[in-house]
Amino acid sequence: MSLLKVEDIHVYYGNIHAIKGISFEVNEGEIVTLIGANGAGKSTTLNTVAGLLKPRSGAITFEDKSLLGTPASKVVSLGMALCPEGRRVFQQMSVRENLEMGGYTRPASEIDASLDDVFKRFPRLKEREKQIAGTLSGGEQQMLAMGRALMSKPKLLMLDEPSMGLAPILVEQIFDIIAELHAAGTTILLVEQNAQMALSIADRAYVLGTGMITMSGAAADVLADDRVRAAYLGG
């Protein structure tokens, strides 16, 4: 079943035509990845789906409901959560406070159970529960950003560059967590510059080039494509 459908969206920054009529969908239970070079429009696409940017034209539907004109706060309550590029944790707040902020759309009676779920998935965050988020390592901040997004119990988790700036061993750890979330039933839309890792974990893939989709298909087929290998995987 199609959970998210994006149809022919056009997004502008002033006079700059950033997204030029892209269409894609995410089915329930999938990992779908958007890959592409810097500036291709990957983050702009996620931010538009999340309600942070408004498309000039096109359609975005989630569970067959139109999201056009829906504020970002309402998008979260409908069942989508964005883990943003650069982590964007609340630097001066504790780990626990950051997580509680992620659950703001949930009934107060459910917050403790959600915290327990996040702490089971990210034991490091439990150890750092009272620590100020700005003092965490990059990998810990990424775990916190993902945990904060999971606090809203999303039907669709959108991850924007989760491996950015992390050491290779931490990149593997983050991708292991993504695989675990998927195995537990979370549908994931993944934007990632590490094309090799993204394609190895995804069901389907879309390749973006300067605001347009240039290729799509099963992730394994995209990974094997010579053009993709030359452009994103070093040959």
Side-chain angles (χ1 to χ4, degrees), residues 7 22 30 86 104 106 120 142 147 156 175 201 203 216:
E7 298 174 277
I22 71 170
E30 286 188 312
Y104 77 96
R106 307 283 308 291
K120 278 180 195 154
Q142 184 60 54
L156 175 63
F175 273 89
I201 203 173
D203 298 298
S216 64

Side-chain angles (χ1 to χ4, degrees), residues 44-81:
T44 298
T45 300
L46 281 199
N47 287 333
T48 303
V49 171
L52 298 168
L53 294 170
K54 305 234 176 314
R56 192 170 291 184
S57 62
I60 302 171
T61 52
F62 182 67
E63 293 189 314
D64 295 326
K65 298 184 195 80
S66 174
L67 294 184
L68 294 184
T70 305
S73 57
K74 177 77 164 124
V75 169
V76 175
S77 63
L78 289 173
M80 278 201 284

Side-chain angles (χ1 to χ4, degrees), residues 29 37 51 91 116 143 190 233:
Q91 297 279 323
D116 287 345
M143 291 176 195
L190 171 66
L233 306 174

